[in-house]
Amino acid sequence: MTPHERIAERIENAMRARRAHRSQDAREISVETVATARVEGSRRDLIAALSGLGRIERDLGNDSGAIAAYAEATALARVEGEPSLLAHLLRNFGATHLAAERPTVAEPYLREALEIDRADEGCDALELANAVRLVAELSERLGNRYEAARLWYEARVRYAALAIAEGVRECGARLEGLEAAGVVPLRGIYGIVDRAVSNEPLALLDSLLDAGVRVVQYRAKAGVDPRVVRAMHAVTRARGALLIVNDDLACALEADGWHAGQEDLMERDPATIRATLGSRIFGVSCGVPGEALAAERFGADYVGVGPYAATGTKADAGAAIGEAGIRAVVDATRLPVVAIGGINAGNLAGVARSGASMAAVISAIARAADPAAAARDLIARWDALAR
Ligand code: TZP
Ligand code: MG
């Protein structure tokens, strides 16, 4: 037997003892295995032995032992330079701190693990779902409730795709808790303050927020004014809503998210956008299912799809795609779909039927005699339809 085989066998023995609830035996074997790996094993053997020991220390409630083992394993994995191994250890390391009520210590590890997994094309789908769930948990503990809501939503979608009912239930329950606390996931009426339609963006914003809209986009095709973004963001932040900026990525960094068209993506390397935005929301306008799948790969949080119906607001919007056109994208992507274009109280039912998560509206609110009343009416209708 080579040293590697001997170490692998002992790790397996420890795991068998662990599964048989002989935790103390498992710990003894693991401590010895680590000692052997230090003398005879490769760096990888030692990482595996430490990782096993960390797992068992966690079972025994010995946080400091688990943290010491994971800290060393993680440091070695950085030298080893294999991303999936490093992400796995960072996740366990972070989870141990999180379980020990030290979310601020856990934060950099869990975030780095998620970043690595997202960037890794070959990442195991379950590992990624778990990574998202852990950062959702972390955000909630840190009080970042919007980020938590988005990540619970994403984790739920990922578990559903893997048919893991328990994960779907757990994430759904967390989302409901955040919803009850008035935090918004990407669902309902998405209000757009379009400079070309409204000369008083802050007044329209107030109407939207008064009505209960919780996701607002600022759209200014003649140029996004950073002062308006700052003023709007101060208001949305104070009133518990999200502000997403269209087109201008630099200004979006002063708000909660960025909405990009296909042409915006062509101007830059899409692979870098997620990293630039950090935990902010990233939305992408898509016309066909293929574009939505590409948006998923670039790390988008939602896709905008339309025009649902004829619109006078966007001259080059193209022909209306209707309920079937929206549904084609809903069926193709795991991301929430935001339907847009010519949406009003009279045709909202078809949007809800299409499976879209949100309905984005410009003129039916901004051009109404009473924008707040129009937005309130749309929200009430959507809530009744989505039930
Ligand atoms: N993208 C597709 S249609 C559209 C955009 C920005 C305009 C939506 O405006 P309205 O007034 O709600 O039809
Ligand atoms: Mg654009």
Side-chain angles (χ1 to χ4, degrees), residues 87-372:
H88 176 83
L89 292 165
L90 288 167
R91 216 170 24 249
N92 282 331
F93 195 16
T96 307
H97 281 297
L98 198 58
E101 305 295 340
R102 281 190 294 271
T104 49
V105 182
E107 182 171 17
Y109 302 107
L110 294 178
R111 288 198 187 282
E112 187 182 354
L114 179 57
E115 219 170 274
I116 294 171
D117 285 342
R118 283 203 198 280
D120 177 6
E121 292 252 333
C123 180
D124 179 79
L126 180 57
E127 295 255 323
L128 183 51
N130 287 337
V132 173
R133 181 175 56 79
L134 275 168
V135 179
E137 175 81 50
L138 171 80
S139 313
E140 206 174 320
R141 299 257 196 113
L142 290 172
N144 302 335
R145 298 191 307 170
Y146 300 129
E147 184 188 36
R150 286 196 297 113
L151 292 172
W152 283 122
Y153 184 95
E154 181 185 342
R156 188 178 61 169
V157 171
R158 290 188 184 280
Y159 286 124
L162 292 164
I164 299 175
E166 195 188 322
V168 175
R169 263 197 309 278
E170 183 206 340
C171 298
R174 302 305 281 260
L175 262 174
E176 273 170 31
L178 288 170
E179 263 179 313
V183 182
V184 264
L186 294 166
R187 200 178 304 163
I189 300 298
Y190 179 124
I192 301 184
V193 174
D194 188 330
R195 243 358 228 97
V197 177
S198 173
N199 285 326
E200 292 183 62
L202 285 157
L204 178 56
L205 175 63
D206 271 335
S207 300
L208 290 167
L209 298 178
D210 288 348
V213 173
R214 284 292 166 267
V215 182
V216 177
Q217 184 191 117
Y218 175 50
R219 182 175 190 264
K221 288 288 157 183
V224 171
D225 182 342
R227 288 166 307 183
V228 176
V229 171
R230 273 172 225 141
M232 288 179 76
H233 193 222
V235 175
T236 53
R237 200 169 35 203
R239 298 189 58 180
L242 297 171
L243 180 67
I244 295 173
V245 177
N246 197 335
D247 291 333
D248 190 320
L249 179 55
C251 282
L253 297 180
E254 301 206 29
D256 305 303
W258 184 49
H259 186 91
Q262 294 294 317
E263 67 291 348
D264 299 306
L265 297 183
M266 271 177 241
E267 282 168 15
R268 39 181 70 80
D269 174 7
T272 64
I273 295 171
R274 182 74 265 171
T276 306
L277 284 170
S279 64
R280 289 176 192 81
I281 293 174
F282 175 22
V284 179
S285 290
C286 298
V288 290
E291 286 172 350
L293 294 177
E296 259 180 43
R297 285 198 301 280
F298 299 149
D301 294 300
Y302 73 84
V303 292
V305 184
Y308 167 68
T311 176
T313 308
K314 183 173 158 77
D316 61 352
I321 61 171
E323 196 181 316
I326 305 283
R327 177 175 297 283
V329 182
V330 169
D331 288 343
T333 178
R334 295 172 308 189
L335 296 176
V337 168
V338 179
I340 187 168
I343 296 173
N344 56 48
N347 62 17
L348 193 64
V351 181
R353 274 198 306 270
S354 75
S357 300
M358 301 196 90
V361 178
I362 301 180
S363 52
I365 295 175
R367 291 199 196 281
D370 181 344

